[in-house]
Amino acid sequence: EVAALFTPALTAVRPPRRSIGRAAVSLLAARLQDPGRPTHRVVITPSLRVRGSTAPPPA
């Protein structure tokens, strides 16, 4: 969120915060229900926010 405040605005990776929160709550609830369950890996893909700090490749 602060990357857009700079001049030029900075290109940044944006994590999907709601998806991360939902996954965390879901995994926590499952762990509380079954403490012996195996560990779990969740892959959540971020997005790239291209802004003014990114230049085209040299010719």
Side-chain angles (χ1 to χ4, degrees), residues 12-39:
V13 174
R14 181 178 181 208
R17 292 178 298 202
R18 284 190 178 159
S19 295
I20 292 170
R22 284 186 192 120
V25 169
S26 175
L27 290 170
L28 177 61
R31 176 67 62 190
L32 290 172
Q33 191 172 33
D34 179 12
R37 75 188 301 260
T39 57

Side-chain angles (χ1 to χ4, degrees), residues 4-57:
L5 301 175
F6 290 90
T7 303
L10 301 175
T11 296
V13 174
R14 181 178 181 208
R17 292 178 298 202
R18 284 190 178 159
S19 295
I20 292 170
R22 284 186 192 120
V25 169
S26 175
L27 290 170
L28 177 61
R31 176 67 62 190
L32 290 172
Q33 191 172 33
D34 179 12
R37 75 188 301 260
T39 57
H40 217 84
R41 180 177 293 227
V42 177
V43 177
I44 298 174
T45 306
S47 62
L48 178 63
R49 302 285 300 217
V50 178
R51 297 188 177 103
S53 65
T54 302

